[in-house]
Amino acid sequence: MHCSIATVCPDGTPHITPVGTVFLRDDQTGFFFDHYAVSLGENIDSNPSVCVSAVNVGRWFWLKSLLTGRFASEPGVRLYGKAGPARPATSEELQMIHKRVASTQWLKGARMLWSDFEIVRDIEFTDFRPVAYPMMMDGMWPAD
């Protein structure tokens, strides 16, 4: 999955940030590591409303869908909610991020980008909408 978080700037303009550190929980909440994206945090501090867009970027998913002319499942989802203030990550959250990036830690760029994680923000989700392409979903979801 590829995730981006949309926020609103203080002047009302939209802002979207790709975030590879989004984690979802089973209770309609999630969290992300607030590490490099300065504008993302500033926007949340001003207006906590967010939209997380998660898109399946798997090559096999898309190849199979394009070959058959049909999606077997939704290609993505938009999750709407409110993000909380920055807080220190728990040891469990740190274990989750270390597990996610462990296979790339031998790469210089991975060490530069994916180390020193300390701060997270919680998100409480209140609504969702699937990403819909009606011509390949045959009524799976209403058109967006």
Side-chain angles (χ1 to χ4, degrees):
M1 287 290 200
H2 165 78
C3 291
S4 293
I5 301 178
T7 57
V8 179
C9 296
D11 68 1
T13 58
H15 185 271
I16 191 156
T17 306
V19 179
T21 61
V22 175
F23 293 85
L24 302 178
R25 300 184 188 108
D26 291 334
D27 62 355
Q28 294 184 296
T29 67
F31 68 94
F32 69 95
F33 282 85
D34 191 1
H35 195 53
Y36 293 114
V38 175
S39 294
L40 176 64
E42 290 174 351
N43 291 346
I44 289 170
D45 289 340
S46 174
N47 178 348
S49 296
V50 298
C51 177
V52 176
S53 172
V55 177
N56 185 339
V57 293
R59 288 184 185 186
W60 177 244
F61 172 83
W62 282 94
L63 180 60
K64 183 178 175 186
S65 299
L66 293 171
L67 284 170
T68 63
R70 177 161 173 64
F71 289 110
S73 62
E74 298 76 15
V77 65
R78 291 179 208 91
L79 304 170
Y80 298 90
K82 303 276 185 189
R87 64 168 177 78
T90 66
S91 59
E92 180 181 308
E93 291 163 343
L94 291 170
Q95 287 176 347
M96 293 170 76
I97 191 63
H98 290 132
K99 181 178 178 182
R100 181 173 289 178
V101 302
S103 65
T104 62
Q105 284 302 291
W106 61 277
L107 299 167
K108 180 180 179 180
R111 287 190 308 273
M112 292 171 71
L113 289 176
W114 299 324
S115 59
D116 300 327
F117 288 111
E118 297 176 7
I119 303 297
V120 297
R121 287 181 185 262
D122 293 299
I123 305 173
E124 184 173 334
F125 297 106
T126 56
D127 199 7
F128 77 98
R129 292 190 194 117
V131 173
Y133 294 94
M135 67 283 306
M136 289 179 57
M137 296 176 78
D138 288 338
M140 190 181 299
W141 289 94
D144 188 12

